[in-house]
Amino acid sequence: DAYANDPSRHKTLTINNQKPFCAEPPPPILVDSFLTPNELFYIRNHLPVPEIDLKDYTLELTIEGETKKVFDFDALKKYKKYAITAAVMCGGNRRSEMAKVKKLRGLSWNVGAVGNAKWAGVRLCDILRDLGINENAFSHVQFEGYDLDPSGTPYGASIPIAKAMDPRADVILAYEMNGQPLSRDHGFPLRVIVPGVVGARNVKWVNKITVSKEESPSQWQQGDYKGFSPSTTWDNVDFSKSPAIQEMPVISAICSPQDADTVEVKNGKIEVKGYAWSGGGRKIIRVDVTNNQGANWHTANLSEQDFQAKEGRYWSWTLWNVELPVDKNSKETEIWAKAVDSAYNVQPESFANIYNLRGLLCNAYHRIKIGLKQ
Ligand code: MTE
Ligand code: MO
């Protein structure tokens, strides 16, 4: 059993898959804190968790056709320590709702395949600059993990070189998560954090970085984590025709109450809480909530945001809450939420027209139905 050495996990997590291990926290707990506690942060592994001894750890840096340099952990830690607060979200977050439109392939994530943490490590741009890379001679920076599939091929992904080398993009090789060394599940001892970009590019247990003219050849870059038309089927899909997902679109979710809950009405109102986030460093500027199919939209209070973030570098999620007035006589209500980002991108209304066969980019309005106790 290749998974026999996997670490133990917090029992509060809802398990979506055992081997490889994939799990998410219950939604109400997710919005209890701005920084997601490490042991409750969702886990998305594609392969067995590698067991890495710090003293054996190496990071190989290759500039295709030119140089190769090997760092041990101490050599990396000599670079200036840099911290950012950023959400990481799986491209399949909220897939279970899209799956109601039509059959699709992928793990059935609820709204919890996202977490927000303070990551600390070294800036990728500092390391690349030291190597004297000519940004114009290359196009991509590829990452490989220590985790291997049965054929010995590692997990891999890549990002555009402009992103990797831009100090304002804040791409880091993180060794700390919320002030603690990374746990084994989250990439010990080192992982890539590409803020504002789909989780899949945030390579854990990073072992190799290659500056290249080409994207990562990995299955997860080439044959997965791409979007398609609702009409694309497994019979006619051509993965080479869609670009790999990088920056994520605007999204929000209601986390408390949850769908099918019964809620006590107090003074004619109920409290609704959730998160919102957008990719590319775009700030959440508004969250709108309705419980009468859009006849009235209530503007949520944005309770927690990274108030120190600079323009274009809002990597954290935003937590929000709103007091919704409900009809005196109703025994149930349907609630919808949608977020707006700083580019005035708004979530699409429904899943029907953004459906894709892999169940990615599931950012339609979040809709829940709850019972009311008056
Ligand atoms: N990196 C490696 N080496 N192996 C993986 O399976 N999964 C990716 C990414 N990095 C993965 C990886 C995916 S799809 C996601 S969503 C995030 O890690 C999940 O990060 P987390 O488990 O720390 O929440
Ligand atoms: Mo993911």
Side-chain angles (χ1 to χ4, degrees):
D1 176 6
Y3 294 90
N5 251 331
D6 266 24
S8 61
R9 282 100 181 187
H10 201 281
K11 62 177 186 332
T12 306
L13 294 173
T14 305
I15 298 170
N16 283 333
N17 198 60
Q18 198 59 252
K19 301 173 182 185
F21 191 80
C22 302
E24 64 185 299
I29 293 178
L30 187 61
V31 291
D32 270 348
S33 55
F34 183 63
L35 294 179
T36 311
N38 294 359
E39 66 279 8
L40 297 177
F41 204 99
Y42 85 99
I43 297 165
R44 202 308 176 216
N45 296 335
H46 290 85
L47 300 165
V49 176
E51 197 157 23
I52 302 166
D53 196 329
L54 248 199
K55 64 181 193 312
D56 302 328
Y57 175 80
T58 56
L59 176 66
E60 185 185 301
L61 250 139
T62 303
I63 306 172
E64 229 162 47
E66 291 176 30
T67 349
K68 185 164 120 178
K69 206 174 159 181
V70 179
F71 292 87
D72 62 16
F73 196 67
D74 288 338
L76 284 165
K77 282 196 85 168
K78 289 201 178 98
Y79 279 90
K80 189 170 181 284
K81 187 172 174 181
Y82 197 81
I84 54 164
T85 304
V88 175
M89 185 184 287
C90 183
N93 188 36
R94 297 185 53 202
R95 180 182 284 133
S96 56
E97 298 163 65
M98 187 181 276
K100 290 175 188 157
V101 172
K102 210 159 48 172
K103 205 165 160 277
L104 48 73
R105 286 188 201 166
L107 292 171
S108 190
W109 293 112
N110 189 5
V111 300
V114 56
N116 193 54
K118 184 175 177 185
W119 309 94
V122 300
R123 296 205 300 188
L124 182 58
C125 65
D126 289 344
I127 295 176
L128 295 179
R129 197 188 43 225
D130 267 14
L131 294 176
I133 287 156
N134 170 10
E135 193 179 321
N136 298 320
F138 300 96
S139 299
H140 305 276
V141 175
Q142 304 179 9
F143 308 112
E144 283 180 17
Y146 262 87
D147 49 337
L148 306 173
D149 74 8
S151 76
T153 307
Y155 183 87
S158 61
I159 59 171
I161 194 162
K163 188 95 180 162
M165 297 200 63
D166 180 0
R168 290 181 199 84
D170 291 320
V171 179
I172 63 171
L173 306 180
Y175 45 75
E176 275 178 18
M177 179 177 185
N178 294 326
Q180 298 292 315
L182 290 178
S183 67
R184 284 187 60 209
D185 267 325
H186 295 295
F188 178 84
L190 198 74
R191 80 174 299 172
V192 188
I193 293 293
V194 193
V197 160
V198 66
R201 315 299 169 220
N202 293 243
V203 175
K204 304 191 277 191
W205 315 290
V206 60
N207 174 222
K208 197 171 167 191
I209 298 180
T210 307
V211 178
S212 175
K213 290 193 169 70
E214 310 295 332
E215 272 194 303
S216 165
S218 105
Q219 158 67 13
W220 296 280
Q221 188 82 17
Q222 300 299 332
D224 202 350
Y225 293 107
K226 295 185 173 194
F228 297 96
S229 149
S231 300
T232 300
T233 67
W234 290 104
D235 294 327
N236 63 22
V237 65
D238 181 351
F239 274 88
S240 73
K241 293 276 162 52
S242 279
I245 300 167
Q246 295 283 349
E247 285 181 4
M248 289 281 274
V250 62
I251 189 168
S252 68
I254 300 163
C255 295
S256 171
Q258 299 189 71
D259 189 42
D261 278 355
T262 297
V263 175
E264 197 169 334
V265 180
K266 287 184 189 135
N267 304 321
K269 290 180 175 174
I270 55 167
E271 195 190 24
V272 179
K273 294 200 284 185
Y275 66 77
W277 182 68
S278 188
R282 287 176 289 277
K283 186 186 187 178
I284 294 300
I285 61 160
R286 211 178 69 232
V287 175
D288 301 324
V289 186
T290 181
N291 59 336
N292 55 12
Q293 329 285 308
N296 301 88
W297 289 99
H298 301 264
T299 303
N301 166 46
L302 306 182
S303 53
E304 295 195 72
Q305 237 177 353
D306 185 352
F307 295 106
Q308 268 132 50
K310 298 231 165 66
E311 197 54 47
R313 294 159 87 181
Y314 288 90
W315 313 124
S316 287
W317 66 9
T318 293
L319 298 183
W320 55 265
N321 63 283
V322 63
E323 300 272 335
L324 278 186
V326 295
D327 282 344
K328 251 205 218 81
N329 302 316
S330 48
K331 294 205 158 39
E332 54 182 30
T333 191
E334 185 172 332
I335 307 172
W336 303 350
K338 64 173 162 89
V340 183
D341 75 14
S342 56
Y344 282 100
N345 293 307
V346 187
Q347 293 175 243
E349 272 188 57
S350 74
F351 280 108
N353 298 311
I354 61 165
Y355 169 91
N356 59 87
L357 75 183
R358 275 295 280 114
L360 297 163
L361 309 161
C362 304
N363 70 329
Y365 291 8
H366 192 201
R367 301 167 192 244
I368 63 163
K369 279 189 186 135
I370 58 165
L372 299 172
K373 214 163 89 190
Q374 298 271 4

